[in-house]
Amino acid sequence: MKISKILITTVIICLSAILAAAQTAVYLDVNAPVEDRVEDALKRMTLDEKIAMTHANGKFFSPGVPRLGIPGLMMSDGPHGVRAEINWNNWGYAGWTTDSATAYPALTGLAATWNRDLARRYGTSIGAEARYRGKNVLLGPGVNICRTPLNGRNFEYMGEDPYLAGELAAEYIQGVQSNGVAACVKHYALNNQEKWRDNIDVTVDERTLNELYLPAFRKAVQDGGAWSIMGAYNKVNGQHCCHNELLLNTILRGQWGFDGAVITDWGGAHDAREAALNGLDIEMGSYTNGLTTESAFTYDDYYLGKPYKQLLLAGEVPMSTLDDKARNILRLIMRTSMNGSQQYGSLASDEHLADAQAIADESVVLLKNNGILPLDPKAGKRVLVVGENATRNLCKGGGSSELKPRVLETPLEHLVARYGNVTYTPGYRSGKAMYSSAEEIPETELDSLRQVAVDLAREADVVIYIGGMNKNAYQDCEASDRADFHLSYKQDQLIAELAAANPNIIVANISGNAYAMPWLDRVPAVIQSWYPGSVGARSLAAVIAGDVNPSGKLPFSFPVRLEDNNAHAKGALSYPGIEDANGPRQEYLDGIFVGYRHHDTNRVPALFPFGYGLSYTTFSYGKPSVSSSDIVDTVTLTIPVTNTGNRPGSETVQLYVADLKSSLPRPAKELKGFKKVALEPGETANVEFVVTLDDLKFYDPARGGWIAEPGKFNLLVGASSADIRATVPIRLK
């Protein structure tokens, strides 16, 4: 009897343990549908566990549910590489020796490739590095439109056109997420300047919002399948983006069907009630400036911490808001940190360096060439290299995109390797990279450095100038816009005097933005390249030497003057905005006429137009044909393109659509397709575009959506927005 009681007691204890385990164990079958796993976890969680998931517990970490074996999320800055490890609870670097990564070219450079395959390769490669480092969320890509060349963060974005940015972003995202790492598309939305970024109130009309500033985000969500979105710092129409009802509830969730997690930019939350109600899921970095400052508040004091709990318990916000947030976060966790099919990844491998170089090779844009390029290394010329960017570490500074590369090469070392007889002098000095203040370089020092360079130029056979911009404050840098449209540190004077001393000068500037070129007519060649990352310096040297035939095309227009940019042409209210008693505000008075849409429609010639780029070979465009002159659902346009030169090369064929008569003003043309083709000398490729009804549509607020009006359209095929080689009329009945 005694034994039976002991046995019964033991059985009861075992059954209790099994039942307890069943209540805490999460559905771990990775082959089960994600939604089943999410719901299984959700029903086991307590109120406090759900709330804890909605805000950070470290600088780049948010918690899971330890009791249920659900891991948290580890995030990392991108989008050009996995950032060096940051301390858990402050902004200092952890000082690891195992976090050196591959630095990829800036996203401006990716955009200049106009190559979808390279965008996918970029994402796959960087995603593998994030996976190896144990990161679940990579904070990128950025797809904000380059509205003004003064935006300090344009180098993190993909140009002035939403179609180009969206096409490349979708490929990048799919590449990243193939590693079980979430891409976090940023900065949603209208974060098109850094000045007053924390609280500027942007007013934009409905049509401009939908036609220009949202399409790249929509494509990132619907075609890229992005698992997370980062809200921007600024306000839109009076409400902060990180808890903006229109942007998050109505558009992102409602119209686009986004099922991922919305994450604040660091310090981007400002109100507990709005954060609870308006679609925010994870709050990061509150009570800091998102970049450097610290706070005495604990993580539980975040808006989605104790204040949110109080609102829930008081019945002031529905409990369903918490379940919705928890579902979105759990779904993100199941896709990433609990994704059983993910690989181990790899870090700073030779394969990843090859990926970075392939991207850089196709990103370099040849803007001008009177025949001096390519510069034959066998000619034995005495080469003078001038410019700080020939040797500067361009992975430092810039804000959150700063990187710690395992490999970092410079243009100078590759030019020395090719030409041998090379002399170098900086010509100017820019100072250290800083976030919030610009170091003033004494004019006497700049004058002295310039004079040394000019004297050396007189003795050289050819001068290669590698200057441009860097990632100092008020250059290409987070948290500040550029101070001037001209190159800083008296570079314009330096280039002009070098050209006067030696007419054989090649200007090969590096930047993430357009800039003035008052010296353009005095130099025989201009190359534009972008922040190169680990090995992009090889690509610049290879283009100069002719080992690589340049094939990059500009992802944004270079205006002649700042006033030729439409945001600036509309006055201070348009950019940078004005301050009043309620804080800074601005109106997008340029509307849909941004970049080439403005230059081409309003006949304001650009210095170098959108989509422009030369080659060491030439291409001819043949006679196009269409499947029908009337469009019902689609029309197929085919055009032969031939390499008519004596070098292999690649050409980006661009398709624009022009609406010849519409009820609302439309741009002279809009990009609706592009294809990059590699051709041997004499080779012809038939380039095909499928034009759909969506390509003819514009957004009409009065009719509440996208419409295509019957009438005549022109399909324009060209080598840039200003170089149209063929026009084909079609009609929508």
Side-chain angles (χ1 to χ4, degrees):
M1 188 70 171
K2 200 173 200 178
I3 295 174
S4 298
K5 285 183 177 179
I6 293 173
L7 182 61
I8 292 170
T9 302
T10 303
V11 170
I12 290 172
I13 291 172
C14 291
L15 287 173
S16 299
I18 292 170
L19 288 171
Q23 289 299 310
T24 58
V26 180
Y27 201 161
L28 293 176
D29 181 1
V30 296
N31 296 315
V34 167
E35 295 306 312
D36 291 350
R37 300 171 69 200
V38 167
E39 294 302 321
D40 180 74
L42 184 66
K43 69 185 180 184
R44 303 173 192 275
M45 293 170 59
T46 67
L47 175 70
D48 286 336
E49 287 170 341
K50 293 175 185 176
I51 292 173
M53 293 178 70
T54 66
H55 60 79
N57 67 340
K59 277 289 178 278
F60 284 87
F61 308 92
S62 65
V65 187
R67 181 180 65 86
L68 299 178
I70 299 174
L73 294 167
M74 301 179 70
M75 308 179 193
S76 176
D77 276 319
H80 310 135
V82 184
R83 192 179 183 184
E85 199 68 22
I86 300 294
N87 289 328
W88 186 278
N89 202 35
N90 65 54
W91 288 108
Y93 283 111
W96 288 10
T97 59
T98 56
D99 57 350
S100 296
T102 301
Y104 297 84
L107 285 188
T108 327
L110 174 61
T113 71
W114 290 63
N115 189 321
R116 295 177 180 86
D117 293 337
L118 284 180
R120 175 69 68 98
R121 187 172 171 183
Y122 194 133
T124 302
S125 189
I126 196 175
E129 300 226 340
R131 176 70 198 114
Y132 184 88
R133 284 273 305 280
K135 306 303 181 184
N136 312 118
V137 180
L138 183 72
L139 303 176
V143 298
N144 293 95
I145 295 301
C146 296
R147 177 178 181 249
T148 162
L150 297 191
N151 181 8
R153 219 162 177 183
N154 275 346
F155 72 97
E156 293 187 48
Y157 302 143
M158 288 189 276
E160 70 187 25
D161 183 79
Y163 180 82
L164 174 63
E167 289 289 301
L168 298 180
E171 298 291 341
Y172 176 107
I173 291 162
Q174 291 181 42
V176 170
Q177 295 184 170
S178 67
N179 294 277
V181 174
C184 187
V185 186
K186 60 186 188 182
H187 301 89
Y188 183 68
L190 296 161
N191 183 186
N192 303 306
Q193 67 187 64
E194 291 297 284
K195 184 176 176 65
W196 295 322
R197 67 173 182 170
D198 294 323
N199 61 339
I200 191 167
D201 189 3
V202 178
T203 300
V204 62
D205 67 84
E206 184 180 350
R207 182 185 179 196
T208 299
L209 179 67
N210 280 276
E211 283 197 17
L212 205 65
Y213 295 105
L214 292 186
F217 286 102
R218 183 179 70 243
K219 188 170 282 288
V221 168
Q222 295 183 333
D223 293 357
W227 293 340
S228 61
I229 290 277
M230 180 187 288
Y233 281 125
N234 51 284
K235 297 177 183 177
V236 170
N237 298 339
Q239 198 169 51
H240 275 98
C241 290
C242 287
H243 32 76
N244 187 292
E245 183 176 12
L246 171 66
L247 293 178
L248 300 181
N249 287 344
T250 302
I251 296 174
L252 182 65
R253 300 280 186 199
Q255 296 177 11
W256 299 350
F258 178 65
D259 69 353
V262 175
I263 303 171
T264 66
D265 205 337
W266 271 232
H270 297 270
D271 183 270
R273 186 181 302 274
E274 285 190 3
L277 295 173
N278 292 344
L280 177 62
D281 297 310
I282 302 176
E283 177 187 358
M284 301 296 296
S286 290
Y287 310 110
T288 79
N289 67 359
L291 195 63
T292 55
T293 60
E294 297 301 328
S295 167
F297 286 85
T298 69
Y299 293 107
D300 285 340
D301 290 313
Y302 276 25
Y303 295 104
L304 288 181
K306 292 175 184 176
Y308 185 26
K309 184 177 181 179
Q310 292 170 0
L311 291 171
L312 288 166
L313 294 179
E316 295 184 39
V317 297
M319 197 66 70
S320 60
T321 63
L322 180 58
D323 283 343
D324 287 343
K325 295 180 196 303
R327 280 190 182 92
N328 294 333
I329 298 166
L330 285 168
R331 191 176 294 116
L332 180 58
I333 290 172
M334 299 298 177
R335 287 167 167 170
T336 58
S337 58
M338 292 187 74
N339 181 345
S341 63
Q342 60 191 356
Q343 303 299 310
Y344 290 108
S346 57
L347 183 68
S349 66
D350 290 344
E351 291 79 8
H352 292 171
L353 290 175
D355 293 335
Q357 186 181 349
I359 296 159
D361 281 352
E362 294 197 22
S363 72
V364 179
V365 183
L366 180 61
L367 296 179
K368 180 179 180 180
N369 184 22
N370 74 348
I372 192 173
L373 288 170
L375 186 65
D376 186 359
K378 297 178 182 179
K381 293 185 180 296
R382 295 168 298 167
V383 175
L384 172 67
V385 177
V386 181
E388 192 184 67
N389 282 350
T391 60
R392 187 181 179 91
N393 179 356
L394 292 169
C395 290
K396 280 192 172 183
S400 58
S401 65
E402 184 174 73
L403 292 170
K404 176 184 172 183
R406 179 179 72 85
V407 173
L408 184 63
E409 299 173 353
T410 67
L412 180 61
E413 67 184 89
H414 284 284
L415 291 171
V416 169
R418 279 177 166 79
Y419 296 100
N421 189 11
V422 172
T423 302
Y424 171 70
T425 189
Y428 69 93
R429 185 173 74 85
S430 67
K432 297 178 180 178
M434 294 171 287
Y435 291 135
S436 58
S437 62
E439 180 182 352
E440 291 292 331
I441 309 300
E443 283 206 18
T444 54
E445 181 179 354
L446 291 174
D447 292 343
S448 176
L449 290 169
R450 183 177 68 254
Q451 190 59 55
V452 170
V454 172
D455 289 344
L456 288 171
R458 294 190 181 98
E459 306 302 319
D461 294 320
V462 63
V463 177
I464 300 175
Y465 184 83
I466 305 178
M469 296 167 62
N470 58 39
K471 295 182 181 177
N472 283 9
Y474 306 105
Q475 294 282 303
D476 285 323
C477 186
E478 181 179 356
S480 64
D481 278 353
R482 292 171 61 193
D484 198 288
F485 184 51
H486 286 264
L487 295 176
S488 298
Y489 320 116
K490 302 181 78 170
Q491 288 185 76
D492 287 340
Q493 182 179 351
L494 172 58
I495 295 170
E497 291 188 16
L498 287 170
N502 190 328
N504 297 316
I505 179 172
I506 299 161
V507 176
N509 281 334
I510 298 171
S511 77
N513 258 311
Y515 48 87
M517 297 186 187
W519 33 261
L520 180 62
D521 61 350
R522 287 173 265 179
V523 301
V526 179
I527 295 172
Q528 172 64 32
S529 69
W530 322 95
Y531 295 114
S534 289
V535 293
R538 299 182 195 177
S539 303
L540 180 56
V543 166
I544 292 172
D547 300 334
V548 167
N549 191 348
S551 64
K553 298 275 190 174
L554 290 179
F556 47 70
S557 309
F558 273 57
V560 178
R561 307 170 305 152
L562 189 59
E563 297 78 15
D564 293 341
N565 173 277
N566 205 19
H568 295 268
K570 300 299 183 184
L573 181 58
S574 175
Y575 178 88
I578 60 175
E579 286 188 286
D580 56 27
N582 296 317
R585 62 183 179 87
Q586 72 181 145
E587 296 181 22
Y588 278 21
L589 300 175
D590 46 345
I592 61 172
F593 297 101
V594 170
Y596 71 92
R597 288 168 165 80
H598 161 63
H599 289 289
D600 295 349
T601 306
N602 297 322
R603 295 185 173 88
V604 180
L607 184 65
F608 294 107
F610 173 77
Y612 174 86
L614 302 175
S615 171
Y616 293 151
T617 189
T618 55
F619 300 94
S620 68
Y621 288 60
K623 184 177 181 180
S625 61
V626 289
S627 57
S628 172
S629 59
D630 293 329
I631 181 170
V632 178
D633 296 313
T634 65
V635 162
T636 300
L637 181 149
T638 305
I639 186 167
V641 177
T642 303
N643 181 346
T644 53
N646 56 11
R647 288 174 175 260
S650 295
E651 171 72 333
T652 298
V653 185
Q654 301 159 42
L655 174 72
Y656 298 84
V657 171
D659 189 347
L660 300 186
K661 185 178 181 181
S662 63
S663 58
L664 292 178
R666 298 194 69 177
K669 62 177 76 73
E670 298 173 71
L671 182 72
K672 296 299 179 181
F674 62 88
K675 290 192 177 178
K676 193 166 192 174
V677 290
L679 299 172
E680 294 295 320
E683 183 181 4
T684 298
N686 288 315
V687 179
E688 185 176 283
F689 297 101
V690 177
V691 181
T692 71
L693 282 177
D694 285 343
D695 295 325
L696 309 183
K697 291 179 179 178
F698 64 94
Y699 190 91
D700 185 354
R703 288 181 266 191
W706 293 88
I707 64 164
E709 292 179 331
K712 296 178 180 179
F713 296 81
N714 279 340
L715 305 182
L716 310 171
V717 183
S720 79
S721 64
D723 183 10
I724 300 304
R725 304 291 183 88
T727 301
V728 179
I730 62 169
R731 180 177 58 177
L732 175 63
K733 290 185 176 180

